Amino acid sequence: YSAAWVSSLSMGMVFFCSPIVSIFTDLFGCRKVAVIGAALGFVGLLSSSFVSTIEPLYFTYGILFACGCSFAYQPSLVILGHYFKKHLGLVNGIVTAGSSLFTVSLPFLLRVLIDSVGLFNTLRVLCILMFVLFLAGFTYKPVVSNAKDKEGGKKSKFRFRPEKQVFNFSVFKVKSYRIWAFGIPTALFGYFVPYVHLMKHVEDRFGNSVQEEVLLLCLGITSGIGRLIFGRVADYIPGAKKVYLQVASFFFIGLMSMMIPLCHVFGGLIAVCLFMGLFDGCFICIMAPIAFELVGAQDVSQAIGFLLGLMSIPMTVGPPIAGLLRDRLGTYDVAFYLAGVPPLIGGAILCIIPWAHKRHKLRESAKTADGETTEKMLENEGTSVPDAAEKPAKEMESGI
Protein backbone atom coordinates (compact mmCIF):
# COMPACT_ATOMS: atom_id res chain seq x y z
CA TYR A 1 0.00 0.00 0.00
CA SER A 2 2.78 2.44 0.95
CA ALA A 3 4.76 1.63 -2.20
CA ALA A 4 1.67 2.18 -4.34
CA TRP A 5 1.26 5.67 -2.92
CA VAL A 6 4.78 6.57 -4.09
CA SER A 7 3.94 5.86 -7.73
CA SER A 8 0.49 7.45 -7.44
CA LEU A 9 1.96 10.61 -5.94
CA SER A 10 4.56 10.74 -8.69
CA MET A 11 2.00 10.44 -11.49
CA GLY A 12 -0.31 13.00 -9.90
CA MET A 13 2.46 15.55 -9.39
CA VAL A 14 3.47 15.40 -13.06
CA PHE A 15 0.05 16.75 -14.05
CA PHE A 16 -0.66 18.91 -11.00
CA CYS A 17 2.51 20.92 -11.71
CA SER A 18 1.56 21.58 -15.35
CA PRO A 19 -0.12 25.00 -14.83
CA ILE A 20 2.92 26.18 -12.87
CA VAL A 21 5.26 24.85 -15.55
CA SER A 22 3.35 26.76 -18.23
CA ILE A 23 3.80 30.02 -16.30
CA PHE A 24 7.54 29.46 -15.96
CA THR A 25 7.75 28.55 -19.65
CA ASP A 26 6.16 31.90 -20.58
CA LEU A 27 8.44 33.79 -18.19
CA PHE A 28 11.80 32.13 -18.84
CA GLY A 29 11.41 30.19 -22.09
CA CYS A 30 11.36 26.52 -23.05
CA ARG A 31 15.13 25.99 -22.82
CA LYS A 32 15.64 27.11 -19.22
CA VAL A 33 12.56 25.32 -17.92
CA ALA A 34 13.44 22.05 -19.68
CA VAL A 35 17.07 22.10 -18.50
CA ILE A 36 16.16 22.92 -14.89
CA GLY A 37 13.42 20.28 -14.95
CA ALA A 38 15.77 17.56 -16.22
CA ALA A 39 18.35 18.55 -13.59
CA LEU A 40 15.69 18.41 -10.87
CA GLY A 41 14.54 14.99 -12.06
CA PHE A 42 18.15 13.78 -12.13
CA VAL A 43 18.67 14.88 -8.53
CA GLY A 44 15.39 13.29 -7.41
CA LEU A 45 16.13 9.97 -9.11
CA LEU A 46 19.72 9.85 -7.88
CA SER A 47 18.75 10.69 -4.29
CA SER A 48 16.05 7.99 -4.41
CA SER A 49 18.76 5.41 -5.05
CA PHE A 50 20.40 6.14 -1.69
CA VAL A 51 17.38 5.95 0.65
CA SER A 52 16.90 2.93 2.88
CA THR A 53 13.23 3.35 3.89
CA ILE A 54 9.99 4.06 2.06
CA GLU A 55 9.21 7.42 3.69
CA PRO A 56 11.94 9.51 1.99
CA LEU A 57 10.74 8.23 -1.39
CA TYR A 58 7.56 10.27 -0.97
CA PHE A 59 9.71 13.36 -1.40
CA THR A 60 12.67 12.22 -3.54
CA TYR A 61 10.66 10.21 -6.06
CA GLY A 62 7.03 11.21 -5.53
CA ILE A 63 7.65 14.97 -5.52
CA LEU A 64 11.19 15.93 -6.58
CA PHE A 65 11.55 13.51 -9.48
CA ALA A 66 7.92 13.99 -10.62
CA CYS A 67 8.18 17.79 -10.61
CA GLY A 68 11.38 17.55 -12.62
CA CYS A 69 9.67 15.33 -15.20
CA SER A 70 6.78 17.78 -15.44
CA PHE A 71 9.12 20.73 -16.01
CA ALA A 72 11.01 18.77 -18.67
CA TYR A 73 7.96 17.34 -20.45
CA GLN A 74 5.75 20.31 -21.20
CA PRO A 75 8.38 22.50 -22.99
CA SER A 76 8.99 19.55 -25.33
CA LEU A 77 5.40 19.95 -26.58
CA VAL A 78 5.50 23.75 -26.79
CA ILE A 79 8.84 24.02 -28.61
CA LEU A 80 7.61 21.99 -31.60
CA GLY A 81 5.20 24.76 -32.58
CA HIS A 82 8.14 27.17 -32.82
CA TYR A 83 9.76 25.15 -35.60
CA PHE A 84 6.93 23.39 -37.42
CA LYS A 85 3.63 24.68 -38.77
CA LYS A 86 2.59 22.71 -41.85
CA HIS A 87 3.63 19.30 -40.50
CA LEU A 88 3.06 19.91 -36.79
CA GLY A 89 0.80 16.86 -36.44
CA LEU A 90 3.37 14.50 -37.96
CA VAL A 91 6.15 15.93 -35.82
CA ASN A 92 4.08 15.48 -32.66
CA GLY A 93 3.35 11.93 -33.74
CA ILE A 94 7.06 11.15 -34.17
CA VAL A 95 8.02 12.77 -30.86
CA THR A 96 5.26 11.15 -28.80
CA ALA A 97 5.90 7.77 -30.49
CA GLY A 98 9.19 7.75 -28.58
CA SER A 99 7.32 7.42 -25.28
CA SER A 100 5.36 4.52 -26.75
CA LEU A 101 8.62 2.82 -27.72
CA PHE A 102 9.87 3.10 -24.14
CA THR A 103 6.50 1.89 -22.83
CA VAL A 104 7.09 -1.35 -24.75
CA SER A 105 10.78 -1.84 -24.03
CA LEU A 106 11.40 -0.29 -20.62
CA PRO A 107 9.49 -2.87 -18.49
CA PHE A 108 11.61 -5.69 -19.93
CA LEU A 109 14.80 -3.66 -19.46
CA LEU A 110 13.88 -2.80 -15.88
CA ARG A 111 13.19 -6.44 -15.06
CA VAL A 112 16.64 -7.45 -16.36
CA LEU A 113 18.38 -4.61 -14.51
CA ILE A 114 16.60 -5.24 -11.20
CA ASP A 115 17.39 -8.96 -11.36
CA SER A 116 21.05 -8.32 -12.18
CA VAL A 117 22.08 -5.18 -10.27
CA GLY A 118 19.21 -4.53 -7.83
CA LEU A 119 16.66 -1.73 -7.49
CA PHE A 120 18.93 1.08 -6.28
CA ASN A 121 21.59 0.52 -8.95
CA THR A 122 18.78 0.39 -11.52
CA LEU A 123 17.71 3.88 -10.45
CA ARG A 124 21.29 5.06 -10.94
CA VAL A 125 21.36 3.59 -14.43
CA LEU A 126 18.12 5.43 -15.24
CA CYS A 127 19.84 8.66 -14.22
CA ILE A 128 21.72 8.38 -17.53
CA LEU A 129 18.44 8.94 -19.37
CA MET A 130 17.72 12.03 -17.28
CA PHE A 131 21.21 13.37 -18.06
CA VAL A 132 20.56 12.88 -21.78
CA LEU A 133 17.31 14.82 -21.32
CA PHE A 134 19.31 17.54 -19.54
CA LEU A 135 21.64 17.91 -22.54
CA ALA A 136 18.74 17.82 -25.00
CA GLY A 137 17.12 20.77 -23.22
CA PHE A 138 19.94 23.05 -24.37
CA THR A 139 18.82 22.55 -27.99
CA TYR A 140 15.46 24.27 -27.34
CA LYS A 141 15.80 27.62 -29.08
CA PRO A 142 12.44 29.38 -29.61
CA VAL A 143 12.12 31.15 -32.95
CA VAL A 144 8.60 32.61 -32.50
CA SER A 145 8.77 36.22 -31.36
CA ASN A 146 6.73 37.02 -28.27
CA ALA A 147 4.52 40.05 -28.80
CA LYS A 148 4.17 40.51 -25.04
CA ASP A 149 7.93 40.91 -24.70
CA LYS A 150 8.03 43.43 -27.54
CA GLU A 151 5.42 45.57 -25.83
CA GLY A 152 7.49 45.73 -22.67
CA GLY A 153 10.81 46.25 -24.47
CA LYS A 154 14.01 44.24 -24.22
CA LYS A 155 14.49 45.01 -20.54
CA SER A 156 11.13 43.46 -19.63
CA LYS A 157 12.62 39.98 -19.42
CA PHE A 158 14.57 41.06 -16.31
CA ARG A 159 11.54 42.60 -14.58
CA PHE A 160 8.48 41.17 -12.96
CA ARG A 161 5.65 41.13 -15.46
CA PRO A 162 2.12 42.29 -14.70
CA GLU A 163 -0.04 39.65 -13.08
CA LYS A 164 -2.27 39.39 -16.17
CA GLN A 165 0.76 38.35 -18.24
CA VAL A 166 2.02 35.84 -15.65
CA PHE A 167 -1.34 34.13 -15.08
CA ASN A 168 -2.68 34.06 -18.62
CA PHE A 169 -6.33 33.25 -17.94
CA SER A 170 -7.24 34.98 -21.19
CA VAL A 171 -7.19 31.56 -22.88
CA PHE A 172 -10.45 30.82 -21.08
CA LYS A 173 -12.07 33.74 -22.93
CA VAL A 174 -11.89 31.58 -26.05
CA LYS A 175 -15.12 29.59 -26.00
CA SER A 176 -13.76 26.71 -28.07
CA TYR A 177 -10.89 26.30 -25.60
CA ARG A 178 -13.29 26.30 -22.64
CA ILE A 179 -15.28 23.50 -24.27
CA TRP A 180 -12.06 21.58 -24.94
CA ALA A 181 -10.82 22.06 -21.37
CA PHE A 182 -14.15 20.71 -20.09
CA GLY A 183 -14.64 17.85 -22.55
CA ILE A 184 -11.17 16.28 -22.19
CA PRO A 185 -11.30 15.87 -18.37
CA THR A 186 -14.87 14.59 -18.65
CA ALA A 187 -13.71 11.82 -20.98
CA LEU A 188 -10.72 10.95 -18.80
CA PHE A 189 -12.85 9.87 -15.83
CA GLY A 190 -13.09 6.48 -17.53
CA TYR A 191 -10.23 6.71 -20.01
CA PHE A 192 -7.45 5.30 -17.80
CA VAL A 193 -9.48 2.66 -15.96
CA PRO A 194 -8.54 -0.13 -18.43
CA TYR A 195 -4.87 0.82 -18.27
CA VAL A 196 -4.83 0.57 -14.47
CA HIS A 197 -7.09 -2.44 -13.84
CA LEU A 198 -6.81 -4.57 -16.99
CA MET A 199 -3.97 -6.75 -15.65
CA LYS A 200 -5.87 -7.51 -12.46
CA HIS A 201 -9.01 -8.31 -14.47
CA VAL A 202 -7.06 -10.77 -16.63
CA GLU A 203 -5.65 -12.41 -13.51
CA ASP A 204 -9.14 -12.75 -12.00
CA ARG A 205 -10.67 -14.20 -15.17
CA PHE A 206 -7.87 -16.32 -16.67
CA GLY A 207 -5.59 -16.95 -13.69
CA ASN A 208 -1.99 -17.81 -14.52
CA SER A 209 -2.83 -19.58 -17.78
CA VAL A 210 -2.03 -16.50 -19.91
CA GLN A 211 0.73 -13.91 -20.09
CA GLU A 212 -0.96 -10.59 -19.37
CA GLU A 213 2.23 -8.71 -20.32
CA VAL A 214 1.29 -9.40 -23.94
CA LEU A 215 -1.60 -6.94 -23.57
CA LEU A 216 0.76 -4.14 -22.48
CA LEU A 217 2.95 -4.97 -25.45
CA CYS A 218 -0.05 -4.69 -27.80
CA LEU A 219 -1.10 -1.37 -26.25
CA GLY A 220 2.38 0.10 -26.55
CA ILE A 221 3.06 -1.03 -30.13
CA THR A 222 -0.26 0.11 -31.63
CA SER A 223 -0.15 3.35 -29.63
CA GLY A 224 3.15 4.20 -31.31
CA ILE A 225 1.74 3.30 -34.72
CA GLY A 226 -1.37 5.38 -34.03
CA ARG A 227 0.69 8.43 -33.14
CA LEU A 228 2.58 8.25 -36.41
CA ILE A 229 -0.49 7.61 -38.55
CA PHE A 230 -2.92 10.07 -36.99
CA GLY A 231 -0.23 12.71 -36.54
CA ARG A 232 0.21 12.68 -40.30
CA VAL A 233 -3.56 12.59 -40.90
CA ALA A 234 -4.02 15.65 -38.65
CA ASP A 235 -1.85 17.72 -41.00
CA TYR A 236 -4.48 17.28 -43.75
CA ILE A 237 -7.42 18.32 -41.54
CA PRO A 238 -7.85 22.12 -41.49
CA GLY A 239 -8.14 24.23 -38.35
CA ALA A 240 -10.16 23.15 -35.35
CA LYS A 241 -11.67 20.23 -37.25
CA LYS A 242 -8.65 18.27 -36.01
CA VAL A 243 -10.66 17.77 -32.83
CA TYR A 244 -12.82 15.23 -34.69
CA LEU A 245 -9.86 12.84 -34.45
CA GLN A 246 -10.07 13.08 -30.66
CA VAL A 247 -13.82 12.52 -30.87
CA ALA A 248 -13.20 9.31 -32.81
CA SER A 249 -10.51 8.20 -30.35
CA PHE A 250 -12.81 8.70 -27.34
CA PHE A 251 -15.64 6.87 -29.09
CA PHE A 252 -13.54 3.79 -29.87
CA ILE A 253 -11.77 3.73 -26.50
CA GLY A 254 -15.11 3.94 -24.68
CA LEU A 255 -16.47 1.15 -26.89
CA MET A 256 -13.40 -1.04 -26.35
CA SER A 257 -13.62 -0.51 -22.59
CA MET A 258 -17.20 -1.80 -22.61
CA MET A 259 -16.13 -4.83 -24.66
CA ILE A 260 -13.48 -5.96 -22.15
CA PRO A 261 -15.96 -7.81 -19.87
CA LEU A 262 -17.47 -9.51 -22.95
CA CYS A 263 -14.14 -11.12 -23.92
CA HIS A 264 -14.06 -14.64 -22.49
CA VAL A 265 -11.21 -15.63 -24.78
CA PHE A 266 -7.73 -14.14 -24.34
CA GLY A 267 -7.44 -13.55 -28.08
CA GLY A 268 -10.45 -11.24 -27.88
CA LEU A 269 -8.67 -9.11 -25.27
CA ILE A 270 -5.63 -8.89 -27.54
CA ALA A 271 -7.81 -7.53 -30.36
CA VAL A 272 -9.41 -5.01 -27.97
CA CYS A 273 -6.00 -3.81 -26.78
CA LEU A 274 -4.74 -3.43 -30.34
CA PHE A 275 -7.62 -1.07 -31.19
CA MET A 276 -7.40 0.73 -27.83
CA GLY A 277 -3.70 1.43 -28.27
CA LEU A 278 -4.20 2.70 -31.81
CA PHE A 279 -6.73 5.33 -30.75
CA ASP A 280 -4.83 6.16 -27.58
CA GLY A 281 -1.99 7.22 -29.86
CA CYS A 282 -4.48 9.31 -31.85
CA PHE A 283 -5.64 11.16 -28.72
CA ILE A 284 -2.12 11.91 -27.46
CA CYS A 285 -0.39 13.01 -30.66
CA ILE A 286 -2.85 15.79 -31.58
CA MET A 287 -3.10 17.49 -28.18
CA ALA A 288 -0.55 20.18 -29.05
CA PRO A 289 -1.76 20.80 -32.64
CA ILE A 290 -5.31 21.38 -31.38
CA ALA A 291 -4.06 23.76 -28.69
CA PHE A 292 -2.15 25.77 -31.31
CA GLU A 293 -5.29 25.99 -33.46
CA LEU A 294 -7.56 27.13 -30.62
CA VAL A 295 -5.43 29.78 -28.84
CA GLY A 296 -2.45 30.48 -31.11
CA ALA A 297 1.30 30.13 -30.60
CA GLN A 298 1.59 32.98 -28.06
CA ASP A 299 -0.76 31.41 -25.51
CA VAL A 300 -0.27 27.70 -26.19
CA SER A 301 2.06 27.06 -23.25
CA GLN A 302 -0.43 27.98 -20.54
CA ALA A 303 -3.31 26.52 -22.57
CA ILE A 304 -1.62 23.11 -22.46
CA GLY A 305 -0.62 23.63 -18.82
CA PHE A 306 -4.14 24.42 -17.64
CA LEU A 307 -5.53 21.45 -19.57
CA LEU A 308 -2.99 19.00 -18.11
CA GLY A 309 -3.74 20.36 -14.65
CA LEU A 310 -7.46 19.74 -15.16
CA MET A 311 -6.68 16.26 -16.49
CA SER A 312 -4.99 15.31 -13.22
CA ILE A 313 -8.33 15.28 -11.36
CA PRO A 314 -10.13 12.55 -13.38
CA MET A 315 -6.89 10.61 -13.82
CA THR A 316 -6.55 10.44 -10.04
CA VAL A 317 -10.23 9.84 -9.21
CA GLY A 318 -11.41 7.47 -11.97
CA PRO A 319 -9.27 4.35 -11.34
CA PRO A 320 -9.84 4.29 -7.53
CA ILE A 321 -13.62 4.43 -8.10
CA ALA A 322 -13.30 1.44 -10.45
CA GLY A 323 -11.27 -0.39 -7.80
CA LEU A 324 -13.94 0.37 -5.20
CA LEU A 325 -16.63 -1.08 -7.48
CA ARG A 326 -14.57 -4.22 -7.88
CA ASP A 327 -14.18 -4.59 -4.12
CA ARG A 328 -17.93 -4.19 -3.61
CA LEU A 329 -19.14 -6.35 -6.51
CA GLY A 330 -16.30 -8.88 -6.70
CA THR A 331 -15.75 -8.31 -10.42
CA TYR A 332 -14.50 -5.57 -12.78
CA ASP A 333 -17.37 -6.02 -15.25
CA VAL A 334 -19.51 -3.09 -14.05
CA ALA A 335 -16.41 -0.90 -13.65
CA PHE A 336 -15.42 -1.43 -17.28
CA TYR A 337 -18.97 -0.88 -18.54
CA LEU A 338 -19.19 2.41 -16.63
CA ALA A 339 -15.66 3.40 -17.68
CA GLY A 340 -16.82 3.44 -21.30
CA VAL A 341 -19.47 6.08 -20.64
CA PRO A 342 -17.32 9.20 -19.85
CA PRO A 343 -15.26 8.94 -23.08
CA LEU A 344 -18.49 8.84 -25.09
CA ILE A 345 -19.86 11.89 -23.26
CA GLY A 346 -16.56 13.76 -23.54
CA GLY A 347 -16.36 13.01 -27.26
CA ALA A 348 -19.90 14.32 -27.77
CA ILE A 349 -18.94 17.56 -26.00
CA LEU A 350 -15.90 18.02 -28.25
CA CYS A 351 -18.10 17.90 -31.36
CA ILE A 352 -19.20 21.48 -30.57
CA ILE A 353 -15.67 22.89 -30.81
CA PRO A 354 -15.36 23.43 -34.62
CA TRP A 355 -18.65 25.35 -34.67
CA ALA A 356 -17.67 27.47 -31.63
CA HIS A 357 -14.20 28.15 -33.02
CA LYS A 358 -15.61 29.22 -36.39
CA ARG A 359 -17.91 31.73 -34.69
CA HIS A 360 -14.96 33.03 -32.64
CA LYS A 361 -12.93 33.56 -35.82
CA LEU A 362 -15.84 35.39 -37.48
CA ARG A 363 -16.17 37.74 -34.48
CA GLU A 364 -12.45 38.44 -34.52
CA SER A 365 -12.59 39.19 -38.23
CA ALA A 366 -15.57 41.51 -37.70
CA LYS A 367 -13.74 43.40 -34.94
CA THR A 368 -10.70 43.80 -37.17
CA ALA A 369 -12.84 45.05 -40.04
CA ASP A 370 -14.66 47.52 -37.75
CA GLY A 371 -11.34 48.79 -36.44
CA GLU A 372 -10.00 49.38 -39.93
CA THR A 373 -13.22 51.14 -40.94
CA THR A 374 -13.03 53.41 -37.90
CA GLU A 375 -9.42 54.32 -38.69
CA LYS A 376 -10.32 55.20 -42.27
CA MET A 377 -13.22 57.36 -41.09
CA LEU A 378 -10.95 59.23 -38.68
CA GLU A 379 -8.40 59.77 -41.44
CA ASN A 380 -11.10 61.09 -43.77
CA GLU A 381 -12.38 63.43 -41.07
CA GLY A 382 -8.86 64.67 -40.46
CA THR A 383 -8.38 65.51 -44.13
CA SER A 384 -11.84 67.05 -44.56
CA VAL A 385 -11.40 69.60 -41.74
CA PRO A 386 -8.52 71.47 -43.40
CA ASP A 387 -10.42 71.41 -46.70
CA ALA A 388 -13.44 73.01 -45.03
CA ALA A 389 -11.24 75.67 -43.45
CA GLU A 390 -9.47 76.41 -46.72
CA LYS A 391 -12.74 76.93 -48.61
CA PRO A 392 -13.95 80.06 -46.66
CA ALA A 393 -10.42 81.46 -46.81
CA LYS A 394 -10.40 81.20 -50.61
CA GLU A 395 -13.87 82.82 -50.78
CA MET A 396 -12.63 85.73 -48.67
CA GLU A 397 -9.62 86.17 -50.92
CA SER A 398 -11.82 86.20 -53.99
CA GLY A 399 -14.15 88.75 -52.37
CA ILE A 400 -11.26 91.06 -51.56
Side-chain angles (χ1 to χ4, degrees):
Y1 176 77
S2 300
W5 266 108
V6 174
S7 58
S8 298
L9 179 63
S10 176
M11 182 60 67
M13 286 300 297
V14 170
F15 289 92
F16 276 124
C17 289
S18 295
I20 301 173
V21 176
S22 65
I23 293 172
F24 278 94
T25 302
D26 281 349
L27 289 175
F28 304 109
C30 294
R31 179 190 293 175
K32 292 180 181 178
V33 174
V35 168
I36 292 173
L40 193 64
F42 179 87
V43 171
L45 199 58
L46 185 63
S47 59
S48 298
S49 67
F50 290 100
V51 301
S52 55
T53 58
I54 194 72
E55 286 78 13
L57 286 175
Y58 290 124
F59 174 72
T60 59
Y61 189 88
I63 296 179
L64 196 61
F65 172 68
C67 289
C69 290
S70 183
F71 273 73
Y73 169 68
Q74 193 168 320
S76 69
L77 297 179
V78 176
I79 195 65
L80 297 177
H82 291 244
Y83 289 91
F84 302 95
K85 293 292 184 292
K86 185 178 179 181
H87 302 294
L88 182 59
L90 176 61
V91 171
N92 272 274
I94 295 172
V95 171
T96 56
S99 64
S100 179
L101 177 64
F102 276 90
T103 300
V104 174
S105 59
L106 200 56
F108 299 99
L109 176 62
L110 290 177
R111 182 175 297 177
V112 172
L113 286 173
I114 291 174
D115 292 341
S116 57
V117 299
L119 174 62
F120 296 121
N121 285 325
T122 297
L123 293 176
R124 291 162 194 160
V125 172
L126 293 178
C127 287
I128 299 174
L129 298 178
M130 294 304 300
F131 185 71
V132 172
L133 195 60
F134 172 79
L135 296 178
F138 285 101
T139 64
Y140 293 1
K141 184 180 179 181
V143 294
V144 174
S145 60
N146 194 330
K148 296 174 184 176
D149 288 341
K150 287 183 177 181
E151 290 175 4
K154 294 182 179 180
K155 295 182 180 180
S156 63
K157 63 177 72 176
F158 300 105
R159 298 177 181 177
F160 288 106
R161 297 186 183 186
E163 185 178 352
K164 291 183 179 180
Q165 291 187 17
V166 175
F167 301 98
N168 187 14
F169 294 110
S170 62
V171 293
F172 287 100
K173 294 180 180 179
V174 181
K175 187 175 182 178
S176 54
Y177 176 78
R178 292 201 305 270
I179 298 171
W180 194 52
F182 176 73
I184 296 292
T186 300
L188 292 183
F189 272 102
Y191 189 95
F192 283 98
V193 170
Y195 295 91
V196 175
H197 295 288
L198 182 59
M199 297 298 102
K200 182 63 177 174
H201 169 73
V202 172
E203 183 180 336
D204 291 345
R205 175 161 292 187
F206 299 99
N208 297 324
S209 61
V210 297
Q211 293 181 334
E212 59 267 21
E213 292 85 1
V214 174
L215 300 180
L216 292 177
L217 191 65
C218 293
L219 285 169
I221 291 175
T222 53
S223 179
I225 295 172
R227 297 175 197 196
L228 294 173
I229 293 175
F230 289 106
R232 182 58 174 163
V233 170
D235 290 332
Y236 294 101
I237 300 178
K241 291 183 179 179
K242 290 180 176 66
V243 79
Y244 286 132
L245 289 177
Q246 284 191 330
V247 173
S249 68
F250 285 144
F251 174 79
F252 280 101
I253 286 176
L255 187 62
M256 292 300 106
S257 178
M258 292 179 175
M259 290 184 65
I260 290 175
L262 302 177
C263 295
H264 297 280
V265 179
F266 189 66
L269 279 178
I270 291 178
V272 166
C273 288
L274 289 173
F275 278 102
M276 187 174 290
L278 188 69
F279 287 98
D280 171 78
C282 173
F283 163 67
I284 292 174
C285 74
I286 58 174
M287 290 279 289
I290 291 175
F292 273 94
E293 291 290 346
L294 297 184
V295 301
Q298 300 296 338
D299 298 323
V300 72
S301 176
Q302 294 204 32
I304 294 176
F306 288 135
L307 179 65
L308 293 178
L310 292 171
M311 285 169 54
S312 65
I313 300 173
M315 286 178 61
T316 305
V317 173
I321 293 177
L324 181 63
L325 288 172
R326 191 267 177 190
D327 292 339
R328 293 290 180 88
L329 303 175
T331 177
Y332 280 110
D333 290 359
V334 175
F336 284 126
Y337 287 135
L338 294 178
V341 176
L344 298 179
I345 296 175
I349 294 172
L350 297 185
C351 289
I352 311 172
I353 290 178
W355 170 79
H357 190 65
K358 184 178 180 180
R359 290 194 62 183
H360 174 73
K361 288 292 186 182
L362 290 174
R363 284 197 298 267
E364 291 294 323
S365 300
K367 287 181 181 178
T368 304
D370 290 342
E372 292 177 354
T373 304
T374 304
E375 287 184 5
K376 289 179 179 179
M377 290 177 63
L378 291 174
E379 290 177 358
N380 292 335
E381 288 180 2
T383 55
S384 62
V385 169
D387 292 341
E390 289 174 4
K391 188 174 181 180
K394 290 181 179 178
E395 292 177 351
M396 290 177 66
E397 290 176 1
S398 63
I400 295 173

